[in-house]
């Protein structure tokens, strides 16, 4: 079932239920009001008959009683449908009868009850009204009146037809109106569907047109446009990454192939073969490091929910990274500075191998680009109630501002770093690892004066 049809049916159902309840309320209160009016008329008829029977021969002389008597006497001539009035004495004997002569019976318990007014409804708008009438010197009599409210029965039948016709007509109009209304509501959605269907991987620059309003459809379009922005950025980054990775991988492979081809051109001495094998070994190691870096970037880009996280002490991880750098490069000099409050544990939730890779990249980069500097690299660890910060400072070659803005682009190498071994994937990999852990990397640098790299992670209580 389409959304348009579902909206039209739901709108029609809401209108139908509302009108049905409204019609039932109208019918109920109309029937109740008509019943009360007819009961009052029937009670007045009983009073008229009682007055006529008991007071006709002895009308009172006071003006109030005379006016009341005249009013009742006028009502006496307005007979009701199927009317019958009887007067019973205290023994239940009929002493007077007015109107039709039928076999109707007064409810047996009325003679023993003391209420002034008694009412019984037999159904099909037939009513029986009884009232007690006291005559001085003669006792109390029961005046019973029967009648059928044919006017209300006919009027309510007509009202039922009108309400039913109105309900059906309103239901049809609500269905048609709901269909038109749903078409107007869904028209922007159909436009969005048409525009989205024209977007493919080759033209991710397209955007939805209805993104400049404040309604829900505009919010949907803006959200989808932001998704397209992220997808376009990811596709561009992926294409750039593949292009740059291919270029970087081709260099050591070309060296390997070239060295082996030259070695096979003619027989050589053992020392020459040894030189070729050493060159190919260096190229293979370079290729291995590059491949490992690419795999680590791919792993750091995984869904965070798929990466196992544990509670780690960041200071112990820094000591481990420091020892690993000294093991790999004995000539590198790194000073550690722990600026931690005594009552605060530097605990983070993260993946130990990935965080270790991030620290090693930053420490090794600082050492590589500060060879010959008068001061060693300084790694300062500080913390507050919410964040842990590791600042790695070097006094090396630094970088220009334009180069600093591109340090997180994979395979980017600044002009003054061309002679330093590397592939340009250390900081991009570190940035992805920090993002995976809810942290961030901040780089500040001045050309010729050094660089500062800050790793920031949320602290776990």
């Amino acid at each position: 079932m389409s959304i348009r049809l579902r909206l039209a049916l739901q709108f029609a159902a809401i209108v139908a239920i509302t009108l049905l309840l409204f019609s039932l309320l109208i019918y109920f209160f109309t029937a109740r009001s008509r019943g009360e009016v007819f009961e009052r008329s029937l009670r007045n008829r009983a009073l008229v008959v009682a007055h006529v029977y008991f007071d006709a021969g002895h009308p009172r002389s006071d003006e109030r009683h005379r006016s009341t008597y005249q009013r009742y006497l006028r009502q006496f001539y307005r007979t009701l449908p199927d009317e019958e009035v009887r007067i019973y004495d205290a023994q239940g004997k009929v002493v007077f009868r007015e109107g039709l002569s039928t076999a109707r019976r007064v409810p047996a318990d009325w003679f023993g009850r003391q209420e002034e007014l008694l009412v019984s409804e037999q159904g099909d708008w037939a009513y029986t009204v009884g009232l007690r009438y006291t005559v001085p010197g003669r006792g109390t009599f029961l005046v019973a009146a029967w009648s059928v409210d044919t006017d209300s029965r006919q009027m309510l039948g007509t009202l039922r037809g009108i309400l039913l016709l109105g309900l059906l007509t309103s239901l049809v109009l609500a269905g048609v109106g709901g269909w038109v209304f749903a078409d107007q509501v869904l028209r922007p959605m159909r436009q969005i569907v048409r525009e989205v269907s024209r977007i493919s991987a080759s033209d991710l620059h397209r955007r939805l047109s209805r993104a400049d309003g404040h309604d829900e459809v505009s919010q949907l379009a803006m959200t989808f446009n932001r998704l397209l922005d992220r997808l376009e950025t990811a596709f561009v980054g992926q294409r750039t990454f593949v292009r740059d990775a291919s270029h970087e991988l081709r260099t050591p492979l070309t060296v390997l192939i070239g060295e082996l081809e030259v070695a096979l051109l003619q027989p050589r001495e053992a020392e020459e073969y040894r030189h070729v094998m050493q060159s190919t070994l260096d190229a293979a190691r370079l290729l291995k490091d590059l491949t490992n870096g690419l795999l680590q970037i791919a792993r750091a880009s995984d869904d965070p929910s798929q990466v196992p996280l544990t509670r780690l002490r960041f200071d112990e991880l820094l000591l481990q990274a420091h020892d690993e750098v000294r093991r790999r490069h004995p000539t590198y000099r790194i000073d550690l500075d722990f600026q931690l409050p005594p009552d605060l544990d530097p605990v983070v939730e993260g993946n130990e191998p990935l965080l270790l890779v991030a620290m090693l990249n930053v420490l090794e980069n600082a050492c590589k680009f500060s060879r010959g500097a008068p001061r060693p690299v300084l790694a300062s660890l500080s913390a507050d109630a919410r964040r842990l910060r590791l600042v790695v400072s070097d006094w090396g070659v630094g970088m220009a501002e334009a180069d600093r803005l591109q340090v997180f682009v994979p395979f980017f190498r600044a002009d003054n770093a061309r002679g330093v071994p590397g592939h340009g994937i250390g900081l991009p990999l570190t940035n992805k690892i920090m993002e995976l852990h809810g942290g961030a990397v901040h780089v500040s640098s001045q050309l010729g004066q050094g660089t500062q790299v800050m790793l920031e992670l949320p602290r776990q209580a």
Side-chain angles (χ1 to χ4, degrees):
M1 182 184 296
S2 65
I3 296 180
R4 182 181 182 184
L5 179 58
R6 190 182 305 126
L7 287 176
L9 292 177
Q10 290 175 348
F11 181 74
I14 292 173
V15 173
I17 293 173
T18 303
L19 291 178
L20 179 60
L21 294 176
F22 185 67
S23 301
L24 291 176
L25 288 175
I26 291 177
Y27 185 83
F28 171 77
F29 286 107
T30 301
R32 183 176 179 180
S33 176
R34 292 290 303 182
E36 292 174 352
V37 170
F38 188 76
E39 288 177 10
R40 189 163 54 249
S41 299
L42 192 57
R43 184 174 67 250
N44 290 338
R45 295 295 297 163
L47 284 172
V48 167
V49 172
H51 274 292
V52 170
Y53 177 73
F54 291 111
D55 297 345
H58 308 283
R60 299 179 184 178
S61 58
D62 60 278
E63 189 64 30
R64 184 182 61 81
H65 181 76
R66 186 178 294 109
S67 62
T68 303
Y69 179 76
Q70 292 296 330
R71 186 176 76 252
Y72 287 151
L73 194 61
R74 285 194 301 270
Q75 293 179 355
F76 178 76
Y77 297 102
R78 301 175 188 173
T79 58
L80 298 174
D82 296 333
E83 178 188 333
E84 181 181 4
V85 182
R86 300 175 192 168
I87 300 177
Y88 296 87
D89 59 13
Q91 289 74 34
K93 181 181 178 181
V94 178
V95 298
F96 180 78
R97 185 190 301 270
E98 172 63 29
L100 299 176
S101 180
T102 66
R104 294 166 174 162
R105 294 181 179 275
V106 175
D109 61 334
W110 279 16
F111 293 101
R113 295 168 63 177
Q114 300 300 318
E115 290 90 342
E116 291 293 330
L117 178 63
L118 302 167
V119 179
S120 175
E121 188 174 348
Q122 285 79 43
D124 198 21
W125 297 97
Y127 291 88
T128 301
V129 174
L131 58 88
R132 299 195 177 278
Y133 194 87
T134 303
V135 180
R138 298 179 61 180
T140 301
F141 294 82
L142 176 64
V143 182
W146 290 266
S147 183
V148 178
D149 191 2
T150 56
D151 290 342
S152 294
R153 182 169 58 192
Q154 181 181 0
M155 189 197 74
L156 290 174
T158 304
L159 180 61
R160 284 195 301 269
I162 293 174
L163 292 177
L164 181 60
L165 179 61
L167 181 62
L168 294 177
T169 304
S170 300
L171 185 59
V172 173
L173 293 177
V176 175
W179 182 263
V180 176
F181 172 75
D183 178 71
Q184 294 177 350
V185 169
L186 295 175
R187 189 173 300 164
M189 300 297 295
R190 290 197 294 271
Q191 180 180 351
I192 288 177
V193 170
R194 289 194 298 268
E195 293 178 354
V196 170
S197 63
R198 292 196 291 266
I199 298 176
S200 62
S202 60
D203 54 1
L204 286 175
H205 62 278
R206 290 178 178 268
R207 295 295 181 268
L208 302 184
S209 59
R210 299 184 60 89
D212 53 354
H214 301 284
D215 56 6
E216 287 77 4
V217 176
S218 298
Q219 292 177 2
L220 174 63
M222 286 188 289
T223 302
F224 196 84
N225 284 343
R226 287 195 291 268
L227 173 62
L228 290 176
D229 291 338
R230 294 193 295 270
L231 286 177
E232 185 179 15
T233 301
F235 269 73
V236 171
Q238 186 71 16
R239 285 195 293 265
T240 303
F241 179 80
V242 172
R243 184 186 66 244
D244 294 342
S246 300
H247 174 74
E248 293 292 332
L249 289 171
R250 187 167 55 245
T251 301
L253 288 174
T254 303
V255 172
L256 282 171
I257 295 173
E259 290 286 347
L260 293 175
E261 286 179 344
V262 170
L264 293 175
L265 287 177
Q266 58 184 1
R268 300 178 182 275
E269 298 293 332
E271 186 62 27
E272 293 179 343
Y273 281 119
R274 182 177 179 84
H275 177 73
V276 170
M277 292 175 66
Q278 184 63 47
S279 299
T280 55
L281 178 60
D282 293 341
R285 286 173 176 169
L286 182 64
L287 183 61
K288 183 203 71 170
D289 293 340
L290 180 58
T291 304
N292 288 337
L294 296 176
L295 290 175
Q296 288 172 339
I297 287 181
R299 185 183 179 190
S301 302
D302 285 345
D303 183 0
S305 62
Q306 304 301 317
V307 178
L309 304 178
T310 57
R311 291 175 62 87
L312 305 169
R313 286 188 62 93
F314 207 60
D315 52 351
E316 295 178 357
L317 201 63
L318 177 58
L319 291 173
Q320 185 179 349
H322 178 265
D323 292 341
E324 180 65 19
V325 172
R326 293 292 301 273
R327 186 188 66 81
R328 295 181 183 180
H329 311 281
T331 60
Y332 286 175
R333 295 184 302 161
I334 301 175
D335 290 342
L336 300 181
D337 181 19
F338 293 93
Q339 302 176 3
L340 298 174
D343 57 344
L344 188 145
D345 291 332
V347 177
V348 298
E349 186 174 11
N351 183 273
E352 182 176 358
L354 289 179
L355 289 178
L356 187 60
V357 168
M359 284 189 180
L360 289 173
N361 285 336
V362 174
L363 293 175
E364 287 183 338
N365 277 349
C367 292
K368 283 192 304 183
F369 292 103
S370 61
R371 285 185 176 179
R375 300 166 59 184
V377 172
L378 177 63
S380 301
L381 180 60
S382 61
D384 55 29
R386 298 178 57 187
R387 313 289 286 183
L388 288 171
R389 298 175 182 86
L390 173 63
V391 179
V392 179
S393 305
D394 69 71
W395 289 265
V397 295
M399 67 184 79
E401 180 63 18
D403 294 334
R404 187 191 67 82
L405 297 176
Q406 302 186 66
V407 293
F408 298 133
V409 177
F411 302 107
F412 172 77
R413 302 273 288 170
D415 292 336
N416 60 348
R418 299 296 181 182
V420 180
H423 310 289
I425 60 177
L427 280 179
L429 173 58
T430 301
N431 184 50
K432 289 186 177 294
I433 293 174
M434 290 296 106
E435 290 178 351
L436 187 66
H437 289 79
V441 182
H442 305 283
V443 178
S444 60
S445 181
Q446 290 186 357
L447 188 62
Q449 297 185 21
T451 302
Q452 278 192 344
V453 179
M454 182 173 69
L455 306 183
E456 191 174 30
L457 284 173
R459 175 181 169 271
Q460 297 296 313

